[in-house]
């Protein structure tokens, strides 16, 4: 095969791309010489079959005579919300290098035409570090956050590391001495950020080539962190079959179809010359059918001439054909097998964090139907409180004798925390707590909370915004659920009782209040 014309190289470089920026520059370079470009991958989660999408394009670039550098962006992996812990960074980088080289060999891409480099080989140099500082004096927080929005994991209180990420990716273009950067269309904002800021440092604006983002098996973006959305490169044939069987592949749907997208962007470009895409079918369903162009397969699927099950079976054969050499290399090489297990050790099962929300409190309206002083403690009352329960009023012992006259306690409505663990107070078993507003200084004051006058004994009190959820049968005193929630329970300046600013309400929407005390805690 003779030397390709520049137009043929241009067509190979741009085919199946979602978009590219710098078309005039690309054409001008190809008229004079071959293109120099790089593709970078942050060494975070395990590479999956979606990585065959950039690999197939790298094959195109090499066929077009381009000089291709593959960057294992180890430092970026750490900066992206520490997705790759520092202690695993080197192991994961080695795994990426091994598995990506194995992928390239599986699709007959000669490794001697590629250059491989780790980010930390040059990103820790004095010159690069100084450029990071220079860039940080130009880039606004807004632009850095916007640039990384589609790539860097977004959190409400962003780490500075995530804001550095786009700037480092921009500088990579200069330090790798390339004409172009290749990546997914999800990196478009980083690419436009790079085109804006590199010239401010006196560096050349590069070309940007963008692959489409193919849907995962669930119909959304294929993700390393979502196991059901992707097939791992070391998955065995049984796992491939199982995941494809579960894959979203709606009859006639050609837009959110990861199985079809993989056929378009990976299988068809990698078919040998004159090889056709083969769908095996039973004779009763029309027999085997072959396609020389993807467009014909898509059209047949859109018309529902190809059943989703037949398409999945076809893709399964091609996927296993791609994975077989990779699996074999890792199975027969003890060092690679060991590397895979060390780079991605099994996740330790963590105990689920118990959520402590106010919906766990059983707060009810009660009516004091009887009250007496404790025979052995002048400061304590023994109350019988109706909480609307079948077995009658509950006995609750309270320390209100020094604050509320006996006659004022009789027949009054109160607010009761009903799911405390029963406690014995001076020989009397107590089954709950009357909630009160309380202040200790300058003199101790205690005031029983007031429910709306039309409240019904047994009526549940909820906290606005926390209506869902079932109260604990009994609050576990060892876990201090009440104590942790109680600190945010208070009377506001308007006399209304709130938890963390959210009012306590009865079923009818009535509010719990304190008659005179303001801005004090509830005990």
């Amino acid at each position: 095969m003779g030397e390709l014309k520049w137009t043929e190289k241009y067509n190979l470089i741009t085919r199946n791309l979602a978009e590219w920026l710098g078309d005039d520059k690309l054409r001008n370079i190809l008229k004079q010489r071959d293109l120099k470009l790089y593709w970078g991958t942050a060494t975070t989660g395990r590479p999956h079959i979606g990585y065959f999408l950039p690999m197939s394009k790298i094959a195109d670039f090499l066929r077009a005579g381009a000089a291709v550098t593959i960057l294992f962006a180890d430092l970026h992996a750490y900066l992206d919300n520490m997705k790759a812990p520092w202690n695993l960074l080197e192991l994961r980088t080695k795994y990426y290098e091994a598995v990506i080289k194995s992928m390239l060999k599986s699709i007959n891409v000669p490794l001697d035409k590629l250059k491989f480099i780790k980010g930390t080989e040059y990103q820790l140099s004095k010159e690069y570090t100084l450029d990071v500082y220079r860039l940080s004096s130009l880039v606004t927080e807004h632009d850095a956050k916007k640039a990384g929005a589609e790539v860097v994991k977004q959190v409400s209180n962003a780490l500075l590391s995530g804001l550095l990420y786009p700037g480092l990716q921009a500088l990579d273009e200069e330090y790798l001495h390339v004409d172009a950067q290749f990546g997914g269309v999800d990196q478009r904002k980083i690419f436009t950020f790079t085109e804006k800021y590199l010239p401010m440092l006196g560096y050349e604006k590069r070309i940007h080539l963008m692959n489409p983002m193919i849907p995962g098996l669930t119909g959304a973006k294929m993700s390393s962190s979502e196991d059901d959305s992707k097939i791992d490169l070391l998955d065995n044939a049984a796992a491939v079959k199982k995941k494809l069987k579960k894959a979203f592949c709606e009859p006639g749907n050609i837009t959110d179809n990861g199985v079809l997208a993989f056929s378009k962007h990976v299988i068809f470009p990698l078919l040998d010359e004159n090889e056709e895409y083969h769908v095996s079918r039973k004779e009763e369903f029309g027999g085997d059918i072959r396609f020389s162009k993807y467009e014909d397969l898509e059209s047949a699927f859109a018309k529902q001439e190809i059943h989703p099950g037949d398409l999945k079976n076809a893709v399964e054969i091609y996927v296993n054909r791609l994975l077989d050499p990779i699996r074999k290399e890792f199975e027969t090489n003890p060092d690679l097998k060991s590397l895979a297990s060390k780079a991605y050790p099994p996740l330790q099962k963590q105990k689920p964090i118990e959520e402590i929300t106010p919906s766990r409190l059983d707060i009810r309206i009660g009516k004091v139907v009887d009250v007496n002083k404790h025979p052995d403690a002048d400061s304590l009352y023994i109350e019988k409180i109706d909480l609307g329960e079948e077995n009658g009023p509950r006995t609750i012992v309270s320390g209100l004798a020094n604050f509320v006259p006996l006659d004022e306690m009789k027949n009054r409505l109160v607010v009761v925390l009903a799911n405390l663990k029963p406690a014995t107070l001076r020989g009397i078993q107590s089954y709950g707590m009357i909630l009160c507003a309380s202040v200790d200084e300058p003199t101790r004051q205690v005031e029983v909370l007031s429910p709306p006058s039309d409240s019904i004994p047994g009526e549940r009190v909820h906290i606005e915004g926390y209506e869902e959820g079932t109260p604990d049968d009994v609050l576990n005193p060892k876990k201090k659920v009440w104590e942790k929630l109680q600190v945010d329970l208070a009377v506001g300046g308007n006399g209304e009782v709130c938890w963390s600013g959210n009012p306590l309400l009865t079923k009818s929407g009535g509010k719990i209040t304190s008659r005179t005390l303001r801005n004090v805690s509830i005990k």
Side-chain angles (χ1 to χ4, degrees), residues 4 9-10 12-15 17 34-35 37-39 53-68 114 180-183 209-211:
L4 296 177
K9 294 178 180 181
Y10 173 87
L12 268 174
I13 288 168
T14 58
R15 75 165 177 164
L17 291 178
D34 288 327
L35 193 69
L37 63 88
Y38 96 90
W39 172 73
L53 178 59
M55 295 304 109
S56 67
K57 275 311 299 175
I58 286 170
D60 280 346
F61 299 148
L62 291 172
R63 289 190 197 103
V68 179
L114 291 165
Q181 182 180 174
F182 166 58
L209 310 167
M210 286 166 272
N211 248 353

Side-chain angles (χ1 to χ4, degrees), residues 186-392:
D186 60 334
Q187 298 195 52
R188 191 183 197 282
K189 290 177 181 176
I190 287 184
F191 292 160
T192 54
F193 167 95
T194 301
E195 293 191 4
K196 174 181 177 180
Y197 282 103
L198 271 194
M200 291 186 186
L201 295 177
Y203 296 144
E204 184 184 348
K205 183 164 76 171
R206 266 69 177 190
I207 300 158
H208 292 102
L209 310 167
M210 286 166 272
N211 248 353
M213 301 305 295
I214 67 172
L217 301 180
T218 56
K221 175 183 171 182
M222 195 174 290
S223 167
S224 294
S225 59
E226 189 181 343
D227 196 54
D228 283 343
S229 81
K230 47 91 179 182
I231 292 170
D232 189 87
L233 294 171
L234 300 181
D235 275 346
N236 60 33
V240 171
K241 181 181 284 292
K242 182 180 178 183
K243 289 182 179 180
L244 280 171
K245 193 171 183 179
K246 291 167 61 179
F248 178 79
C249 188
E250 187 179 44
N253 184 342
I254 60 173
T255 54
D256 302 314
N257 191 326
V259 182
L260 204 57
F262 190 79
S263 299
K264 176 181 181 180
H265 294 288
V266 178
I267 298 173
F268 269 90
L270 294 175
L271 289 176
D272 293 333
E273 195 174 353
N274 300 321
E275 184 184 3
E276 294 180 313
Y277 185 101
H278 182 200
V279 180
S280 180
R281 298 187 299 186
K282 293 180 180 179
E283 288 299 327
E284 58 193 286
F285 299 121
D288 292 2
I289 186 170
R290 288 174 171 79
F291 300 92
S292 56
K293 294 189 301 182
Y294 167 76
E295 290 74 17
D296 295 338
L297 171 66
E298 183 183 277
S299 175
F301 190 83
K303 295 173 185 175
Q304 299 190 34
E305 295 169 359
I306 301 291
H307 188 272
D310 293 329
L311 179 65
K312 288 180 181 182
N313 289 337
V315 169
E316 180 186 343
I317 291 168
Y318 287 111
V319 166
N320 281 318
R321 195 164 85 180
L322 289 169
L323 297 187
D324 276 341
I326 303 170
R327 291 189 291 228
K328 185 176 180 181
E329 186 173 3
F330 274 76
E331 284 167 9
T332 57
N333 187 323
D335 291 337
L336 291 180
K337 190 181 286 189
S338 173
L339 176 62
S341 62
K342 287 178 181 176
Y344 297 93
L347 291 174
Q348 297 295 319
K349 284 190 176 180
Q350 295 181 340
K351 290 183 180 179
I353 297 172
E354 189 174 34
E355 190 176 14
I356 297 180
T357 66
S359 60
R360 294 179 63 175
L361 303 178
D362 185 3
I363 302 175
R364 296 189 229 163
I365 304 298
K367 183 176 182 180
V368 180
V369 295
D370 189 27
V371 58
N372 293 287
K373 274 201 169 185
H374 194 294
D376 299 322
D378 291 341
S379 64
L380 300 179
Y381 282 145
I382 302 171
E383 297 105 345
K384 295 288 184 180
I385 300 181
D386 177 12
L387 290 174
E389 295 173 311
E390 291 182 2
N391 53 356

Side-chain angles (χ1 to χ4, degrees), residues 360-362 417 419-421 472-478 481-482 485:
R360 294 179 63 175
L361 303 178
D362 185 3
L417 179 61
N419 60 341
L420 283 175
K421 185 178 180 180
D472 293 8
D473 291 334
V474 178
L475 296 173
N476 188 334
K478 290 183 179 179
V481 176
W482 161 244
L485 293 168

Side-chain angles (χ1 to χ4, degrees), residues 471-515:
D472 293 8
D473 291 334
V474 178
L475 296 173
N476 188 334
K478 290 183 179 179
K479 295 183 178 179
K480 299 190 179 297
V481 176
W482 161 244
E483 288 81 358
K484 291 173 182 176
L485 293 168
Q486 183 263 333
V487 294
D488 291 314
L489 198 59
V491 179
N494 57 2
E496 295 176 1
V497 179
C498 295
W499 182 84
S500 199
N502 301 295
L504 272 66
L505 304 171
T506 60
K507 188 176 180 180
S508 62
K511 295 182 177 179
I512 308 299
T513 60
S514 176
R515 289 178 185 172

